[in-house]
């Protein structure tokens, strides 16, 4: 029977069946529960013995391979002492786990052990029996190690609890001792403190805060085997150090140490001293605290206090000092100060180190006054001031201050902006003609001393000396004179040049003769009274308030008229050519040189100058040709020629005169129609000097005198044009004007009158006549008009006939009469 529900109760019945049918059922009396059959479990396996001691042993095992069809409820442990036959049960109650510590063994005896499993069906057979195990304590040297978080040391803040946890092993179990800095420490009871006598009023010593000793705040917990915990409550900075646990038994000693750092504010800095004391500054120095509080010193805080006023509090000088030195400035001379400095670490600031009182004053005094200074090298704007070094009064002189005063003023002004560390200074920027005095004071570390007596008055003016020599040159000569020019002296001697003298010397004669009766101020002079062909040397001297200076001399020069071939140079504005409009003025300036003075002629190529209109002016080396109201005919190349005994020279430039073009020529009208006609013409003989840009065509009714507006916009560039939009039947005249850059020229001769009408031609042939009717003596004819009427309405038709057999055509019309329509009757046949 399959597919039963577990743990359900079932009844079963059975009957026999043959071919006739089934018989009666046979039914069970009691129900059957659908469950697996139960039996005691198999014995446990892998029984092992661990950690035997003199009184106990620990057993471990694994569950049976088959639990007998029912859950294992627990295990029974049995022991057998050596020499005995009966097994004893070790546990009063079933053990639900796979391990059990058997206790109550007799030291020195040997035991065997076995385990049974029990389920609802019963108890299993025993497991395999263990070998004999002797109940003795094991031999093990002691071991100790600190908790993992203490391996690299312990750091706590002041007031926090110090907890050191150690793990211990060893057999027999070792004794435990705690040490600090290699000294044994044990917990002690808190002792009663004797109250210290109070200090007398006014004593500066501060009372130290009450602290319990380390043993009084320490406790050790060893109640749990294998662990030892040392704790120190309310830690203080003095608790830091190396804590060591020592464990010891008969088989050895073991130690484990931990560095304990108690973080606290640092101690006070030490050895506060002053250096370089001055009246308004001092250098404060100190040394780091003996105890940094277990953390690096981050910075120092320096404070000062006015010790002369009790009500004045401490003022921070600096709170970010990294070093043990600071230069304090802005002290008030003569005041007594106290200083104190705190050290700060990451916990906070420690107690201060207070300095001794210090009075702000210099250890030396300012220097004495120098002697009266001397003034030398006087110029118009500067003087050199010199003095002697005074007594420094204990501090080296670092420089000098110099002051100046105009003799009539009451105000002293500084000469130097920065200290002068020499014994002289050049005073510049003085006003010429004013009188000055000077005084000097020295300065050392204590400050500036008293000023010296003022110097003797000196007036700012240059010392005047005779001027240097001028620089002369021969500018020109002629048959009767020598032209001399010169440049002023490089050195004027310190005074203005008041004039010059000129001297001449005939070569071969030792004496010089002065040519100027009185000093001249110009820088040129014409030396006369010389002989033609003779050689002369010239010299020039300059004069100032100090007198006449040394001369500047020329090379020998020959008195003769120089010969120079002519040169002609047109003005740069006309060299490239001249372009003017008709009516404007033509000017051609030129420069002509040559010795002797050349003769000047002007010509125009391909033509002649109009003497009535051309004006030529020759002044000095300048020559200018002028033509006012220029005409178109004035264009051409103008040439100037200069000639003297040494040769001839010419220069020319092209002159273009732009004018309006002349009238167009040969205007003709052709292809006349009712609304248009065709015009042709020839270009003007003269285009006015510039290209013709276009032509303007004008028309007028021949019966009227006034011209109409231009036929076209000014855009006809060719020599022909088709005129449109004429009024049929009107007789027109046309004229043409040319235009260039100068404007519109005069018109051409008017054209012959032209009638605006289409041309008339002979009409085309009518269609072949048809016989519409006939009689014995007449014929009625009809035809169609010609396809082309020749440009004029058909006035009538002429009908001709020819006799059969004849070659002659006879006119049917009577006289000059015409048939007005496209039909007629030919009578009289």
């Amino acid at each position: 029977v399959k597919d039963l529900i577990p743990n359900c109760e079932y009844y079963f019945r059975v009957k026999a069946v043959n071919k006739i049918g089934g018989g009666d059922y046979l039914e069970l009396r009691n129900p059957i529960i659908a469950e697996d059959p139960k039996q005691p479990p198999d014995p446990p396996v892998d029984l092992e013995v661990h950690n035997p001691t003199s009184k106990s042993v620990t057993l471990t095992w694994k569950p049976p391979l088959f639990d007998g069809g029912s859950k294992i409820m627990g295990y029974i442990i049995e022991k057998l002492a050596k020499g005995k036959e009966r097994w004893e049960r070790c546990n009063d109650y079933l053990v639900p786990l796979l391990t059990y510590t058997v206790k109550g063994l007799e030291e020195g005896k040997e035991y065997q052990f076995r385990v049974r499993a029990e389920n609802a069906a019963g108890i299993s057979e025993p497991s395999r029996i263990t070998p004999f195990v002797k109940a003795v304590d094991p031999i093990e040297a002691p071991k100790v190690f600190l908790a993992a978080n203490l391996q690299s040391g312990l750091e706590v803040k002041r007031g926090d609890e110090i907890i050191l946890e150690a793990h211990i092993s060893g057999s027999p179990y070792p004794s435990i001792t705690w040490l600090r800095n290699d000294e044994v420490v044990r917990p002690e009871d808190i002792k009663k403190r004797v109250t210290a006598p109070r200090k007398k009023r006014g004593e500066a010593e501060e009372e130290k805060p009450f602290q319990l000793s380390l043993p009084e705040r320490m406790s050790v917990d060893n109640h749990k085997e294998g662990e030892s915990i040392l704790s120190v409550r309310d830690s203080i900075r003095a608790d830091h150090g190396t804590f060591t646990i020592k464990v010891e038994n008969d088989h050895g000693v073991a130690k484990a140490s931990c560095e304990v750092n108690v973080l606290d504010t640092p101690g006070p800095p030490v050895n506060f001293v002053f250096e370089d004391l001055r009246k308004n500054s001092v250098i404060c120095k100190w040394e780091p605290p003996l105890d940094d509080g277990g953390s690096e010193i981050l910075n120092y805080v320096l404070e000062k206090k006015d010790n002369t006023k009790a009500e004045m509090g401490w003022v921070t000088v600096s709170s970010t000092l990294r070093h043990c030195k600071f230069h304090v400035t802005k002290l008030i001379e003569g005041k007594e100060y106290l200083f104190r400095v705190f050290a700060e670490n990451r916990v906070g600031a420690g107690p201060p180190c207070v300095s001794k009182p210090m009075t702000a004053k210099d250890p030396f005094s300012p220097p004495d006054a120098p002697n009266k200074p001397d003034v030398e090298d006087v110029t118009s704007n500067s003087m050199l001031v010199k003095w002697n070094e005074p007594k420094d009064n204990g501090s080296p002189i670092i420089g000098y201050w110099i002051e100046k005063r105009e003799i009539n003023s009451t105000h002293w002004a500084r000469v130097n902006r920065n200290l002068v560390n020499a014994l002289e200074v050049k005073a510049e920027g003085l006003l010429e003609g004013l009188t000055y005095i000077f005084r000097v004071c020295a300065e050392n570390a204590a400050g500036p001393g008293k000023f010296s007596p003022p110097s003797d008055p000196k007036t700012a003016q240059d010392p005047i000396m005779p001027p240097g020599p001028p620089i002369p040159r021969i500018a020109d000569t002629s048959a009767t004179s020598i032209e001399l020019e010169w440049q002023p002296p490089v050195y004027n001697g310190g005074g203005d040049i008041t004039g010059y003298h000129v001297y001449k010397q005939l070569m071969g004669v030792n004496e010089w003769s002065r040519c100027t009766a009185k000093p001249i101020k110009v820088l040129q002079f014409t030396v006369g009274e010389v002989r033609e062909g003779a050689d002369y040397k010239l010299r020039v001297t300059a004069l100032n308030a100090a007198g006449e200076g040394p001369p500047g001399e020329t090379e020998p020069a020959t008195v003769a008229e120089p010969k120079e071939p002519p040169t002609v140079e047109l003005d740069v504005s006309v060299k490239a050519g001249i372009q003017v409009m008709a009516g404007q003025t033509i000017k051609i300036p030129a420069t002509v040189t040559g010795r002797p003075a050349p003769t000047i002629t002007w010509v125009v190529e391909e033509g002649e100058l109009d003497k009535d209109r051309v004006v030529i002016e020759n002044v000095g080396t300048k020559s200018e040709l002028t033509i006012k109201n220029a005409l178109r005919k004035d264009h051409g190349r103008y040439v100037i020629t200069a000639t003297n005994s040494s040769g001839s020279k010419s220069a020319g430039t092209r002159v273009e005169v732009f004018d309006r073009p002349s009238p167009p020529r040969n205007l003709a009208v052709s292809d006349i129609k009712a609304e248009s006609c065709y015009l042709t013409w020839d270009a003007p003989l003269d285009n006015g000097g510039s290209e013709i840009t276009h032509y303007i065509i004008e028309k007028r009714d021949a019966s009227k005198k006034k011209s109409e507006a231009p036929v076209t916009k000014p855009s006809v560039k060719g020599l022909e044009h088709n005129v449109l939009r004429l009024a049929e039947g009107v007789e027109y005249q046309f004229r043409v004007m040319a235009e260039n850059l100068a404007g519109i020229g005069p018109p051409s001769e008017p054209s012959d009158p032209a009638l605006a009408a289409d041309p008339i031609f002979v009409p085309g042939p009518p269609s072949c006549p048809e016989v519409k009717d006939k009689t014995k003596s007449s014929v009625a004819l009809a035809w169609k008009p010609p396809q082309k009427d020749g440009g004029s309405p058909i006035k009538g038709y002429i009908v001709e006939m020819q006799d059969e057999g004849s070659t002659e055509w006879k006119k049917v019309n009577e006289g000059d009469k015409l048939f007005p329509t496209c039909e007629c009757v030919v009578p009289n046949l």
Side-chain angles (χ1 to χ4, degrees):
V1 179
K2 297 181 180 180
D3 299 328
L4 300 182
I5 298 174
N7 299 319
C8 284
E9 293 183 348
Y10 290 92
Y11 285 97
F12 295 93
R13 65 185 181 178
V14 65
K15 69 179 179 179
V17 180
N18 61 12
K19 62 182 180 178
I20 300 301
D24 294 332
Y25 282 101
L26 175 64
E27 186 174 343
L28 286 176
R29 290 183 179 179
N30 297 314
I32 299 298
I33 298 175
E35 60 180 357
D36 292 334
K38 296 179 182 179
Q39 63 184 41
D42 289 348
V45 297
D46 297 339
L47 177 61
E48 294 181 357
V49 180
H50 302 280
N51 301 328
T53 67
S54 59
K55 295 181 180 180
S56 66
V57 67
T58 300
L59 303 177
T60 61
W61 58 91
K62 293 181 180 177
L65 298 177
F66 176 59
D67 61 2
S70 178
K71 181 179 178 181
I72 302 294
M73 295 186 294
Y75 297 91
I76 300 171
I77 296 90
E78 295 176 332
K79 66 181 178 181
L80 177 64
K82 191 173 184 180
K84 291 187 179 181
E85 296 180 357
R86 185 178 172 216
W87 287 86
E88 296 179 11
R89 182 166 173 165
C90 301
N91 54 323
D92 297 330
Y93 305 99
L94 290 176
V95 176
L97 305 177
L98 298 176
T99 180
Y100 183 73
T101 300
V102 179
K103 298 182 180 180
L105 303 181
E106 294 183 21
E107 186 174 1
K109 280 191 177 184
E110 294 184 7
Y111 293 90
Q112 285 182 306
F113 300 91
R114 68 183 183 184
V115 181
R116 296 175 186 265
E118 183 177 348
N119 64 5
I123 301 173
S124 71
E125 292 294 322
S127 67
R128 292 179 61 185
I129 302 172
T130 65
F132 280 105
V133 178
K134 193 172 184 179
V136 293
D137 288 330
I139 298 174
E140 181 184 357
K143 293 180 182 178
V144 64
F145 60 91
L146 296 172
N149 63 327
L150 304 176
Q151 298 297 323
S152 58
L154 176 64
E155 187 175 85
V156 297
K157 287 187 177 181
R158 174 190 174 126
D160 292 347
E161 187 175 9
I162 300 172
I163 299 177
L164 302 178
E165 181 181 348
H167 299 275
I168 304 163
S169 65
S171 183
Y173 193 73
S175 63
I176 302 170
T177 307
W178 284 93
L179 302 93
R180 176 180 173 276
N181 296 336
D182 297 331
E183 293 184 1
V184 177
V185 288
R186 293 186 178 86
E188 295 180 1
D189 295 332
I190 298 176
K191 302 174 183 178
K192 186 177 181 181
R193 292 293 187 267
V194 178
T195 304
R198 292 186 178 181
K199 298 287 181 180
K200 293 182 180 180
R201 193 172 185 180
E203 292 189 9
E205 185 177 347
E206 297 180 2
E207 292 187 7
K208 293 184 180 180
F210 172 73
Q211 298 281 1
L212 292 175
S213 65
L214 176 63
E216 291 174 324
R217 291 179 285 110
M218 184 179 77
S219 63
V220 177
D221 182 4
N222 294 330
H223 76 279
K224 186 176 180 181
E225 186 173 338
E227 285 186 358
S228 180
I229 300 176
L230 180 144
S231 60
V232 180
R233 66 183 182 278
D234 300 328
S235 61
I236 60 174
R237 172 64 185 152
D239 295 340
H240 76 282
T242 304
F243 284 76
T244 304
I245 181 173
K246 183 175 76 170
V247 295
E248 183 176 4
N249 64 9
D250 296 338
H251 305 291
V253 178
K255 293 182 180 181
S257 297
C258 176
E259 290 289 336
V260 176
N261 185 20
V262 180
L263 297 179
D264 196 0
T265 56
V270 296
N271 299 332
F272 195 110
V273 295
F274 298 109
E275 291 184 355
D276 196 15
L277 175 62
R278 301 295 175 87
K279 65 182 179 182
N280 52 14
S281 67
V282 69
I283 295 177
C284 297
K285 288 184 67 176
W286 58 90
E287 294 179 5
L290 299 178
D291 179 14
D292 63 1
S295 176
E296 179 188 3
I297 300 296
L298 299 178
N299 67 289
Y300 295 93
V301 179
L302 180 63
E303 296 179 344
K304 69 179 179 180
K305 181 179 183 297
D306 185 351
N307 202 31
T308 59
K309 296 180 181 179
E311 67 275 9
M312 296 295 288
W314 290 95
V315 178
T316 301
V317 177
S318 177
S319 59
T320 57
L321 300 177
R322 298 286 297 172
H323 304 288
C324 298
K325 182 178 181 179
F326 186 70
H327 188 200
V328 182
T329 58
K330 298 181 180 179
L331 300 181
I332 300 175
E333 185 177 4
K335 274 197 174 183
E336 186 178 75
Y337 290 91
L338 280 178
F339 290 87
R340 68 180 182 183
V341 63
F342 303 84
E344 283 187 349
N345 60 10
R346 57 192 174 102
V347 177
C353 173
V354 183
S355 71
K356 296 180 180 179
M358 182 275 298
T359 302
K361 64 179 181 179
D362 287 329
F364 40 78
S365 58
D368 290 347
N371 295 331
K372 183 173 74 171
D374 296 325
V375 180
E376 302 175 357
D377 298 341
V378 178
T379 69
S380 62
N381 60 2
S382 67
M383 297 181 189
L384 183 65
V385 183
K386 295 184 176 181
W387 59 89
N388 293 326
E389 183 178 2
K391 184 178 178 182
D392 61 13
N393 290 333
S395 176
I397 292 175
I398 57 176
Y400 297 88
W401 295 106
I402 301 91
E403 292 185 349
K404 66 182 178 182
R405 180 168 70 85
E406 204 277 322
I407 195 67
N408 295 320
S409 172
T410 58
H411 174 68
W412 288 93
R414 276 273 171 89
V415 172
N416 54 321
R417 291 185 178 180
N418 301 312
L419 281 170
V420 174
N421 56 7
L423 295 176
E424 62 180 35
V425 70
K426 187 175 184 180
E428 298 181 328
L430 306 181
L431 298 178
E432 187 174 3
L434 297 183
T435 301
Y436 293 90
I437 57 176
F438 297 87
R439 66 181 184 180
V440 183
C441 76
E443 182 175 338
N444 62 7
K450 294 182 178 180
F451 277 97
S452 67
S455 65
D456 294 331
K458 294 286 184 178
T459 302
Q461 59 185 14
D462 290 329
I464 298 177
M465 302 290 290
I471 306 171
R473 73 176 186 89
I474 302 295
D476 199 5
T477 61
S478 69
T480 58
S481 64
I482 301 174
E483 292 288 337
L484 181 66
E485 295 178 352
W486 60 89
Q487 295 179 5
V490 176
Y491 173 60
N492 65 2
D496 294 335
I497 302 295
T498 57
Y500 299 91
H501 278 305
V502 179
Y503 298 84
K504 66 181 178 180
Q505 181 191 46
L506 179 64
M507 296 302 293
V509 178
N510 293 331
E511 295 181 357
W512 289 84
S513 60
R514 194 165 75 182
C515 305
T516 50
K518 58 182 181 179
I520 60 175
K521 294 187 178 181
V522 294
L523 300 177
Q524 61 181 15
F525 186 74
T526 300
V527 178
E529 298 180 2
V530 291
R531 294 188 310 207
E532 186 175 5
D535 293 336
Y536 287 87
K537 288 176 71 175
L538 304 178
R539 62 169 50 165
V540 183
T541 59
L543 293 87
N544 65 5
E548 187 175 4
E553 196 169 303
T554 67
E555 295 293 327
T558 302
V559 179
E561 188 73 37
K563 293 185 178 181
E564 296 178 3
T567 62
V568 178
E569 187 75 20
L570 291 175
D571 190 272
V572 68
S573 62
V574 301
K575 277 187 177 182
I578 302 173
Q579 294 180 345
V580 297
M581 304 297 292
Q584 294 180 340
T585 300
I586 300 172
K587 282 190 177 183
I588 309 176
T591 301
V592 180
T593 61
R595 302 287 290 272
T599 58
I600 299 172
T601 58
W602 287 86
V603 297
V604 59
E605 294 179 354
E606 304 172 0
E608 293 184 2
L609 294 176
D610 188 345
K611 295 182 179 180
D612 295 335
R613 297 172 50 249
V614 175
V615 177
I616 298 174
E617 292 183 354
N618 298 319
V619 178
T621 60
K622 304 295 182 182
S623 179
E624 185 175 76
L625 180 144
T626 305
I627 303 176
K628 294 183 177 181
N629 298 320
L631 303 176
R632 171 70 181 142
K633 66 179 182 178
D634 294 330
H635 74 280
R637 178 177 169 80
Y638 286 76
V639 178
I640 179 174
T641 303
T643 306
N644 67 5
S645 58
S646 298
S648 179
K649 188 71 174 180
S650 298
T653 186
R654 185 78 187 174
V655 176
E656 294 290 346
V657 180
F658 298 110
D659 199 357
R660 297 178 299 166
S662 61
R665 301 169 293 124
N666 303 327
L667 176 62
V669 184
S670 62
D671 196 14
I672 303 172
K673 296 181 181 180
E675 294 181 354
S676 65
C677 66
Y678 197 74
L679 303 181
T680 59
W681 61 90
D682 293 336
L685 293 175
D686 184 7
N687 63 3
S690 66
E691 182 182 358
I692 291 175
T693 57
H694 49 265
Y695 294 90
I696 298 173
I697 304 168
E698 292 183 337
K699 67 180 179 180
R700 75 179 178 90
D701 189 337
S703 62
K704 301 177 183 179
K705 293 184 179 180
K706 188 175 181 181
S707 296
E708 298 178 10
V711 172
T712 64
K713 292 182 179 180
S715 60
V716 178
K717 293 188 177 182
L719 298 176
E720 57 188 6
H721 185 66
N722 189 23
V723 181
L724 304 175
R725 299 178 183 175
L726 300 180
E728 186 177 1
V730 177
E731 193 172 32
Y732 289 96
Q733 278 187 304
F734 299 93
R735 66 181 185 182
V736 181
M737 294 172 287
E739 184 174 357
N740 62 5
L741 296 177
I744 301 173
S748 65
E749 291 293 328
S751 67
D752 294 332
L755 180 64
D758 290 332
I760 300 174
F761 301 98
V762 176
S767 66
C768 181
E770 296 179 1
V771 177
K772 296 294 185 181
D773 195 13
K774 62 182 178 179
T775 66
K776 61 180 181 179
S777 59
S778 64
V779 176
L781 303 176
W783 61 90
K784 293 181 179 180
Q787 293 182 353
K788 296 182 180 180
D789 61 2
S792 178
I794 302 296
K795 294 180 180 181
Y797 297 91
I798 299 173
V799 181
E800 294 180 340
M801 67 179 180
Q802 184 185 57
D803 293 336
E804 186 177 359
S806 174
T807 58
E808 183 180 358
W809 289 89
K810 296 179 182 179
K811 191 174 180 181
V812 175
N813 303 60
E814 295 180 2
D816 294 331
K817 290 184 180 181
L818 299 174
F819 293 111
T821 63
C822 293
E823 59 183 7
C824 72
V825 176
V826 181
N828 302 322
L829 296 178

